[in-house]
Amino acid sequence: MTASDRAAQESIAAPSHAAPRGDDGRPVRTAAFFDLDKTVIAKSSTLAFSKPFFDQGLLNRRTVLKSSYAQFLFLMSGADHDQMNRMRDYITNMCAGWDVEQVKSIVGETLHEIVDPLVFAEAAELIADHKLCGRDVVVVSASGEEIVAPIARALGATHAMATRMVVEDGRYTGEIAFYCYGEGKAQAIKALAAREGYALEHCYAYSDSITDLPMLESVGHPTAVNPDRALRKEAVARDWPVLTFTKPVSLRDRIPAPSGAAVATTAAVGISALAAGALTYSLLRRFAL
């Protein structure tokens, strides 16, 4: 892709600052829906927490190394439905019996201490742009809610929708109450839109995977981000914008300084976006040390 092509795509994908209006002429509520893994952050949010889970005794070394290998495969290829189903079974089997409060505590304690921030600078800027436009920001992920919700808060998102596990006596049973994946994501988005009054035809959605096609089809402004081969083909056929995010950057460099005119109105947005600190370990590198 040439620089001019990329600039044209980014221009097409840039969120509109004009507030859409309903038939009565009044502004309507809108939102921007973001997939998490490989769209907002550069790795699998679930697998990336294997190291702190190991440190706290939830995993043995063999399982952590297996997670590192799964992370490598995740990064090297787009996940299709069969791979995602295998990943689901692997994760649910891995966490069966875990204490829910311990998991929440580990995620909360390590979220901002983890080495090398993995939030794409381009994604953080896009989130800030949508908030400036008055849109809610919603993180939608197949990862568990105990991991997704804290990350969404750190990003300044309005809502988080994620997979929910069955819990009995404070521990995961290994069964899934709601799998936020494929059609499940689209159903969750439509339910949230009905509850919050979003006009989906004026909403935005971003994802890297063909498995999120139902989510992208749910809104009026879909965009493919770092798409796998199948999604790229679909995006080209439908004339959807395609963006490439490549710059996970340090916390202090994550959001550019706002213009003088925007300082007052963007202070809260900037602080929320900057709070998206180092979210995950680079597991392969850590175990290579």
Side-chain angles (χ1 to χ4, degrees), residues 96-164:
W98 288 4
D99 182 273
V100 176
E101 291 305 315
Q102 184 182 9
V103 171
K104 291 180 179 179
S105 176
I106 292 170
V107 173
E109 290 173 0
T110 62
L111 187 64
H112 296 298
E113 300 171 2
I114 292 175
V115 178
D116 287 341
L118 295 175
V119 175
F120 287 118
E122 301 95 333
E125 292 165 3
L126 189 56
I127 288 171
D129 284 346
H130 278 295
K131 294 182 74 172
L132 279 174
C133 293
R135 297 185 189 93
D136 285 355
V137 171
V138 185
V139 173
V140 191
S141 175
S143 293
E145 61 182 355
E146 291 79 11
I147 289 176
V148 176
I151 294 175
R153 286 194 297 269
L155 290 166
T158 317
H159 300 285
M161 296 187 291
T163 294
R164 297 191 304 274

Side-chain angles (χ1 to χ4, degrees), residues 129-265:
D129 284 346
H130 278 295
K131 294 182 74 172
L132 279 174
C133 293
R135 297 185 189 93
D136 285 355
V137 171
V138 185
V139 173
V140 191
S141 175
S143 293
E145 61 182 355
E146 291 79 11
I147 289 176
V148 176
I151 294 175
R153 286 194 297 269
L155 290 166
T158 317
H159 300 285
M161 296 187 291
T163 294
R164 297 191 304 274
M165 300 285 290
V166 176
V167 176
E168 291 183 0
D169 299 324
R171 296 182 180 275
Y172 299 115
T173 66
E175 299 176 338
I176 293 178
F178 170 66
Y179 191 25
C180 193
Y181 164 77
E183 279 293 342
K185 281 190 179 183
Q187 293 168 6
I189 286 172
K190 292 172 183 176
L192 181 65
R195 188 164 67 248
E196 296 292 333
Y198 300 142
L200 284 175
E201 67 272 20
H202 295 296
C203 289
Y204 293 72
Y206 302 86
S207 179
D208 69 289
S209 175
I210 189 63
T211 62
D212 282 339
L213 190 60
M215 166 182 165
L216 295 170
E217 291 175 330
S218 299
V219 301
H221 302 283
T223 296
V225 176
N226 298 338
D228 57 31
R229 184 176 300 177
L231 181 57
R232 182 178 294 276
K233 181 178 179 181
E234 196 72 30
V236 170
R238 300 185 185 216
D239 200 27
W240 289 349
V242 177
L243 297 178
T244 302
F245 293 171
T246 61
K247 299 185 295 185
V249 295
S250 65
L251 181 60
R252 63 181 178 275
D253 297 328
R254 188 170 307 285
I255 300 295
S259 64
V263 168
T265 58

Side-chain angles (χ1 to χ4, degrees), residues 9 12 16 19 31 55 59 80 120 126 173 177 189 199 238 245 274 285:
Q9 289 177 338
I12 292 171
S16 171
D55 290 341
L59 297 176
D80 59 21
F120 287 118
L126 189 56
T173 66
I189 286 172
R238 300 185 185 216
F245 293 171
L274 286 169
R285 187 178 65 190

Side-chain angles (χ1 to χ4, degrees), residues 79-99:
D80 59 21
H81 289 283
D82 289 340
Q83 290 170 321
M84 286 296 294
N85 286 333
R86 288 196 297 270
M87 185 73 73
R88 176 200 61 192
D89 293 341
Y90 170 74
I91 296 297
T92 54
N93 290 334
M94 181 178 70
C95 71
W98 288 4
D99 182 273

